[in-house]
Amino acid sequence: RGRTLGGLRLDMVHNQKDVPDNLEDTDVVLFGHSHKYCGEQRGNQLWLNPGSCGPRRFQQEITLMRARISGGGIQVEKLLIPHEVP
């Protein structure tokens, strides 16, 4: 938690419930656990969950995220992994 990368202040937690109340000094919140992709702006923070690129669970998409940090900004790309639905 509380890292700086490429000029962005990151807060990384396992579960969204673990995000601290005070995000005043945070630009990007990275979390996982739910296996569901999230890429949304909430107030002054970008909230990101890459999803899950392992075996399909909970009838959700199989996804991963590619992020590029440059010049104090971040570009995020959601990547869908093709799979067969039984």
Side-chain angles (χ1 to χ4, degrees):
R1 292 179 53 185
R3 298 172 200 238
T4 301
L5 183 62
L8 290 175
R9 297 162 303 180
L10 309 173
D11 203 336
M12 187 180 336
V13 295
H14 174 74
N15 190 325
Q16 190 172 351
K17 292 185 250 178
D18 299 330
V19 174
D21 292 332
N22 183 355
L23 294 175
E24 191 173 296
D25 294 329
T26 302
D27 298 309
V28 180
V29 177
L30 298 165
F31 64 98
H33 186 71
S34 69
H35 301 272
K36 185 174 182 181
Y37 183 89
C38 174
E40 63 184 53
Q41 193 72 35
R42 297 183 191 175
N44 294 326
Q45 291 80 33
L46 179 60
W47 288 61
L48 298 173
N49 181 336
S52 176
C53 62
R56 188 164 189 224
R57 300 175 72 181
F58 315 116
Q59 302 301 310
Q60 295 183 50
E61 301 174 313
I62 299 175
T63 62
L64 60 95
M65 177 187 73
R66 180 174 15 208
R68 181 171 299 183
I69 296 174
S70 176
I74 185 170
Q75 294 176 325
V76 177
E77 180 181 4
K78 175 183 179 180
L79 300 170
L80 289 169
I81 308 299
H83 62 280
E84 293 183 26
V85 178

